[in-house]
Amino acid sequence: DAGVTQSPTHLIKTRGQQVTLRCSPKSGHDTVSWYQQALGQGPQFIFQYYEEEERQRGNFPDRFSGHQFPNYSSELNVNALLLGDSALYLCASSPRDLHFISYEQYFGPGTRLTVT
Amino acid sequence: DQQVKQNSPSLSVQEGRISILNCDYTNSMFDYFLWYKKYPAEGPTFLISISSIKDKNEDGRFTVFLNKSAKHLSLHIVPSQPGDSAVYFCAASPYRAPTGGTSYGKLTFGQGTILTVHP
């Protein structure tokens, strides 16, 4: 049973460029959340997707956008990259039940983005 | 605005002794708390959680304590093992989103504590 997978593992981009990161959730999970982890900090919530819609959003600018596909996989897009966007980007998945009980989230290994 | 704080950047303990990691929060909407462990080059791994209706949850060597009045939680590891050396994050979530919709853990994390267990 594969866990959460993310691609690519590492990425180097130039300031002003655009980037797309990909995530496949753990089998049986339908909710995907994205987090940004800067060096020496805890992960910060970017947004969450289920039923192919953005349901919650953290304090990130519109340059950060996402998408969820019918197979529950997800993409994170960042436009007009800034040096400060350099970070580890983590994807997490979780299941839901009919009673909307919160479950612990399972994280992928992350994508290390470096903006030069 | 740091809503979840881990005030100790690092902790060093001897193998076999107790490790106590602490976490404070400020947001009264938080109802569900989790601890994650993170090794280098890996994503955070879920350890243990607790909801606000409890004050203690135990899983093997790991116990989480919650003091709602003090807005404080702690993770106890007994006995500590060298393999426990990692970065530990506490995280908090509202049970339901403030808008009343479903919420699956918009997790708010602390800064992390580096635990080193010496043989």
Side-chain angles (χ1 to χ4, degrees), chain A residues 60-113:
Chain A
F60 279 80
D62 291 345
R63 298 187 297 109
F64 290 76
S65 64
H67 189 78
Q68 186 179 35
F69 300 93
N71 67 352
Y72 309 124
S73 67
S74 176
E75 287 181 349
L76 164 65
N77 300 292
V78 187
N79 294 323
L81 284 167
L82 303 173
L83 296 178
D85 295 331
S86 295
L88 180 68
Y89 288 85
L90 295 162
C91 170
S93 72
S94 52
R96 288 186 297 148
D97 75 356
L98 293 176
H99 302 286
F100 305 126
I101 294 175
S102 183
Y103 284 85
E104 48 273 2
Q105 298 181 3
Y106 294 80
F107 284 82
T111 293
R112 173 71 62 187
L113 172 65

Side-chain angles (χ1 to χ4, degrees), chain B residues 17-35:
Chain B
R17 307 294 290 266
I18 185 171
S19 295
I20 300 176
L21 298 107
N22 293 303
C23 180
D24 297 295
Y25 63 96
T26 58
N27 191 336
S28 301
M29 297 283 292
F30 290 147
D31 244 351
Y32 192 68
F33 304 90
L34 308 91
W35 283 93

Side-chain angles (χ1 to χ4, degrees), chain A residues 13-63:
Chain A
K13 288 286 189 178
T14 303
R15 193 171 45 183
Q17 285 188 317
Q18 178 263 344
V19 68
T20 298
L21 310 181
R22 295 177 176 81
C23 170
S24 290
K26 184 176 167 62
S27 177
H29 290 187
D30 61 357
T31 301
V32 173
S33 303
W34 286 91
Y35 293 81
Q36 179 195 67
Q37 186 180 12
L39 205 59
Q41 300 295 318
Q44 274 198 289
F45 178 80
I46 303 175
F47 43 51
Q48 183 179 79
Y49 278 83
Y50 61 88
E51 294 179 348
E52 300 179 47
E53 289 190 23
E54 181 183 299
R55 300 293 180 167
Q56 294 189 78
R57 189 177 183 93
N59 190 23
F60 279 80
D62 291 345
R63 298 187 297 109

